[in-house]
């Protein structure tokens, strides 16, 4: 199994980001968070990771690279399309969506697979910095290292206005404008699975989807995305799609030097956990458990019974 490339040091990492700042004390941490919250008129997408040395690969890229599928003459597009095809022919999955009258497509399928741990070309972000801080510390194990970068976790953020090209590219590729009379479904009619094809996503290159269904042409047409799980709602989640088989998000031209990176010393993790836990950010909140919710309904009733 091949090893994923990692950053050797902050100098090596910094060339791909808008900035690559290291934070070693709570005073600086409070100052930075204060600035993020006080900026008016800007909306950010955040991502938190436990290791600063990790590159921003999608789960699909990690599986493809580590398992060296290219040595088996399997290209990345074939790998991703095969996952969608296998989902599409699952009779129970399709029966449920047919009964529920939910139209499925490639983005919907990948979002579903992402939720249940299957490799996809998506990478998770959130609009809530506190949620990103949770993932900075989630399952973190800190063993001090002589290699400086090993001692840091990372909080990434990118301004949404800096990725406004996403909707434009979607409109441009598929002619989603008032003058175009050819519906997208007609263009995809030759695909084996026209509503669940990785091929049209490939043409987009990079885009993001979120849990808001009304977002101009992008959301209202629902050709690209409909949210299929509760985790995205709970986490204020968004997904950024990367069509590349090998380059992490920060090396893609549309994102290079646009993503900000805060490298925070892992010794500050307890302080970070205190920040988000005081705001009600817990594992149970971010990962709703259907069984526990159902059981709580009855236990809440029993608490109302006369003593």
């Amino acid at each position: 199994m091949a090893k994923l490339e990692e950053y050797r040091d902050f100098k090596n990492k910094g060339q791909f980001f808008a900035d690559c700042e290291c934070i070693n004390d709570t005073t600086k941490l409070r100052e930075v968070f204060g600035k993020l919250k006080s900026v008016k008129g800007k909306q950010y997408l955040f991502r938190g990771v436990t290791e600063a040395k990790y590159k921003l690969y999608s789960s699909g890229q990690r599986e493809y690279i580590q398992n060296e599928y290219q040595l088996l003459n399997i290209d990345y597009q074939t790998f991703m399309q095969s996952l969608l095809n296998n989902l599409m022919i699952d009779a129970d999955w399709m029966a449920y969506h047919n009964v529920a009258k939910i139209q499925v497509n490639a983005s919907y399928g990948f979002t579903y697979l992402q939720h249940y741990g299957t490799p996809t070309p998506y990478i998770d972000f959130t609009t809530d910095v506190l949620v990103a801080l949770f993932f900075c510390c989630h399952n973190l194990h800190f063993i001090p290292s002589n290699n400086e970068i090993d001692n840091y976790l990372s909080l990434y953020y990118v301004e949404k206005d800096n990725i406004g090209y996403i909707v434009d590219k979607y409109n441009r590729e598929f002619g989603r404008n008032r003058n175009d009379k050819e519906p997208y479904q007609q263009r995809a009619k030759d695909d084996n699975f026209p509503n669940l094809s990785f091929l049209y996503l490939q043409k987009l290159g990079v885009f993001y989807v979120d849990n808001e269904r009304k977002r101009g042409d992008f959301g209202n047409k629902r050709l690209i995305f409909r949210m299929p799980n509760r985790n995205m709602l709970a986490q204020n989640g968004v997904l950024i799609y990367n069509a590349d088989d090998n380059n992490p998000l920060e090396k893609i031209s549309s994102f290079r030097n646009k993503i900000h990176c805060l490298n925070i010393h892992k010794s500050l993790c307890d302080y970070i956990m205190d920040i988000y836990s005081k705001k009600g950010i817990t594992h149970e909140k971010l990962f709703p458990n259907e069984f526990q919710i159902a059981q709580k309904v009855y236990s809440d009733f029993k608490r109302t019974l006369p003593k």
Side-chain angles (χ1 to χ4, degrees):
M1 178 173 282
K3 189 178 186 300
L4 279 176
E5 289 186 1
E6 298 175 347
Y7 290 114
R8 302 183 305 273
D9 51 49
F10 291 120
K11 181 179 180 180
N12 173 239
K13 181 179 182 178
Q15 61 185 309
F16 302 107
F17 293 90
D19 46 50
C20 191
E21 184 177 5
C22 290
I23 299 175
N24 299 296
D25 59 77
T26 57
T27 301
K28 183 63 176 178
L29 197 56
R30 285 195 300 270
E31 176 188 333
V32 170
F33 289 161
K35 288 180 179 179
L36 283 177
K37 292 179 180 179
S38 64
V39 174
K40 303 297 183 182
K42 291 186 179 180
Q43 291 181 300
Y44 296 107
L45 307 182
F46 300 93
R47 176 171 173 81
V49 298
T50 58
E51 294 289 344
K53 63 185 176 183
Y54 290 164
K55 298 185 177 184
L56 294 177
Y57 288 113
S58 69
S59 56
Q61 289 177 307
R62 290 196 299 268
E63 287 293 310
Y64 184 74
I65 295 170
Q66 289 178 312
N67 287 292
E68 299 182 289
Y69 287 142
Q70 75 279 6
L71 298 182
L72 302 176
N73 294 319
I74 300 173
D75 62 35
Y76 187 61
Q77 179 171 313
T78 299
F79 174 38
M80 290 290 102
Q81 185 65 52
S82 295
L83 298 180
L84 287 174
N85 292 354
N86 291 340
L87 181 65
M88 187 71 168
I89 62 176
D90 186 285
D92 292 335
W93 191 81
M94 286 304 302
Y96 166 77
H97 288 85
N98 288 334
V99 170
K101 300 187 184 305
I102 298 174
Q103 181 183 356
V104 298
N105 54 43
S107 186
Y108 181 99
F110 278 136
T111 308
Y112 177 89
L113 295 175
Q114 178 94 348
H115 176 50
Y116 290 106
T118 297
T120 77
Y122 285 159
I123 183 168
D124 292 292
F125 277 71
T126 175
T127 57
D128 189 336
V129 65
L130 296 175
V131 172
L133 289 177
F134 171 89
F135 286 105
C136 280
C137 298
H138 184 51
N139 293 330
L140 182 146
H141 301 286
F142 178 33
I143 301 176
S145 169
N146 291 328
N147 186 15
E148 182 186 25
I149 199 168
D150 290 338
N151 297 320
Y152 289 79
L153 54 86
S154 287
L155 175 69
Y156 300 96
Y157 64 98
V158 59
E159 187 179 344
K160 289 176 71 173
D161 285 350
N162 278 349
I163 51 175
Y165 71 89
I166 291 170
V167 176
D168 294 336
K169 183 175 286 190
Y170 167 71
N171 290 336
R172 184 166 61 252
E173 290 289 348
F174 297 119
R176 304 302 305 178
N177 60 59
R178 296 175 182 176
N179 297 322
D180 187 2
K181 302 183 184 302
E182 182 184 7
Y184 168 70
Q185 288 90 338
Q186 294 300 315
R187 302 185 184 197
K189 64 183 179 181
D190 294 330
D191 293 343
N192 290 330
F193 304 110
N195 289 325
L196 202 67
S197 173
F198 182 59
L199 300 178
Y200 74 78
L201 295 188
Q202 284 288 102
K203 295 177 183 178
L204 290 176
V206 186
F207 63 89
Y208 87 97
V209 294
D210 63 17
N211 55 25
E212 297 179 31
R213 290 188 176 180
K214 293 185 178 180
R215 183 167 292 280
D217 223 19
F218 188 77
N220 289 337
K221 299 301 179 183
R222 301 187 186 181
L223 286 175
I224 296 296
F225 178 69
R226 286 184 67 182
M227 184 196 62
N229 66 71
R230 296 186 61 209
N231 281 15
M232 280 192 70
L233 276 177
Q235 298 170 15
N236 291 309
V238 303
L239 300 168
I240 292 183
Y241 167 88
N242 184 359
D244 198 279
D245 62 346
N246 187 62
N247 286 312
L249 192 66
E250 66 270 25
K251 287 190 177 183
I252 301 298
S253 60
S254 302
F255 279 84
R256 186 164 180 159
N257 299 127
K258 289 185 178 180
I259 304 173
H260 301 266
C261 176
L262 300 176
N263 304 294
I264 306 170
H265 200 276
K266 292 179 181 178
S267 63
L268 301 178
C269 193
D270 286 342
Y271 178 80
I272 295 173
M273 293 172 66
D274 189 56
I275 291 175
Y276 65 71
S277 60
K278 284 182 177 178
K279 298 294 185 179
I281 303 297
T282 63
H283 185 276
E284 291 73 21
K285 178 177 174 61
L286 299 185
F287 296 93
N289 183 297
E290 309 297 342
F291 179 80
Q292 290 178 357
I293 292 170
Q295 294 301 304
K296 185 175 181 296
V297 169
Y298 187 41
S299 62
D300 286 348
F301 162 74
K302 289 194 291 186
R303 281 198 292 271
T304 68
L305 295 175
K307 302 300 182 183

